[in-house]
Amino acid sequence: MTTATAFDPLSPEVQQDPYPYYKELRRNAPVQYIESVAAWGIFRYSDVESTFKRPEIFSAKDFTTNAFGEFDPVSEVKSIIATDPPEHSRIRRLANAGFRPGAIKAMEPKVDAVIERLLDNLEGQRSDFDLVSDFAAYVPVNVTADLLGVEDPDVREDFKRWTADLLQAPNRGVLPQGDLDRIRASVAELRAYFTEQIEYRRTHPGSDLISDLVRAEEESQTLTATEILSLVALMQFGGSETPSHLISSTVYNLFSHPEILAEVRRDPSRALAAVQETLRQNSPVQMVFQTAVEDVDVAGVTIPSGSMVFSYIAAANHDDTVFDEPEKFVLDRPNLNRHLSFATGAHHCIGAPLGRMMCAKAVGGVLARFPHLRPLEERPRWMPSYWVRGLAQYRFTA
């Protein structure tokens, strides 16, 4: 039986299918203290949206501490995801240069080339391949590498490994020592590599985002080397991780809805709508870490000052007071742009336009290249995580 009080995000059962729990929580316990993670969970759309719009109360200041702990790659400065306005606004304006519409448009040929190259690599594995590890994971890794000006294919492989290891950091309290040592080593490698790259771009600037950040000035304030390192580390992690889950989850949704799959096959441009609806229905990021900086009332419950807060984006995206029949996968929802998967307000995801574009091209590309694509498993398993949602593997034949 699914009950609000039984909700434990660390439970394998919940991680495989959290949505019945979210529904029960929205109805009966929209704000609840979750013992297993020592945090207050917020589950209704209006309340989650409100936390994003009130950073003076629901601060991001402890995001990286809560998520990564001792494995924060750049602990000396606050990451952009762990700052609030006005400091957040200063750093964000400088980082925006690489994500303006013109810059995203200029990236499209590179994204197309990445996807075509990866699809070529799959040609020899038609009989049995894992969409997650053989394709979806490599699309954002390579696009992010292009954005950052990283050409070395071995380093691109390192991106994938560093990201997978850092993703385990939120589970650090229950991981064996060997896993902790591996995460620590990956964080050290990531930091050493980008420290070296930042210094190199100071004397050998290029047209990449690291060079842009090195050059960036705003109101006579230049980003420090450590701030640049923090931004680049975040872009490497965020840019390599969540889009891969969005690609595989979108393909999963399409093969779970044959009539919509047929529509996207007929018109690959419809892949963007499928990606958008997947963002709402199966958000790659389930919740965000916040801190209540004062006692605050939410839905009649007082969250004490200093408390850790989990604002559940994925639960909000299934709120039937906002989205009609939220459990259904429906293209062209009239209010689809209200989903919170990229957050909203000051912390709206800076890479959202690039993420949507690359994922839509990846989904449309794999369907066009392999017209006889067929999944080899009907119910693939979801990865064990209380924070990020993505398929552990999804095997296909083409």
Side-chain angles (χ1 to χ4, degrees), residues 9 14 22 32 69 79 112 117 181 190 212 307 368 379:
V14 171
Y22 294 158
Q32 177 168 296
S79 168
D112 289 334
R117 184 170 68 250
D181 291 342
L190 180 157
D212 290 342
S307 296
R379 291 184 173 274

Side-chain angles (χ1 to χ4, degrees), residues 54-117:
R54 294 193 291 169
E56 72 281 4
I57 297 174
F58 294 95
S59 173
K61 68 186 183 71
D62 298 318
F63 190 111
T64 50
T65 300
N66 292 331
F68 303 127
E70 64 186 284
F71 301 112
D72 180 357
V74 192
S75 59
E76 309 95 297
V77 297
K78 287 284 190 181
S79 168
I80 188 173
I81 59 170
T83 57
D84 300 309
E87 180 65 5
H88 175 88
S89 304
R90 177 186 73 86
I91 300 173
R92 187 184 179 97
R93 279 196 295 270
L94 292 167
N96 264 339
F99 296 96
R100 294 192 179 105
I104 300 301
K105 186 70 176 176
M107 283 289 294
E108 289 197 31
K110 291 185 177 181
V111 173
D112 289 334
V114 164
I115 291 169
E116 285 304 306
R117 184 170 68 250

Side-chain angles (χ1 to χ4, degrees), residues 30-33 39-43 47 51 54 57-58 290-311:
V31 178
Q32 177 168 296
Y33 186 73
W40 289 87
I42 299 178
F43 299 93
D47 298 326
T51 70
R54 294 193 291 169
I57 297 174
F58 294 95
Q290 297 165 327
T291 301
V293 298
E294 61 184 57
D295 290 354
V296 57
D297 181 273
V298 182
V301 176
T302 298
I303 298 176
S305 176
S307 296
M308 181 159 58
V309 176
F310 286 4
S311 285

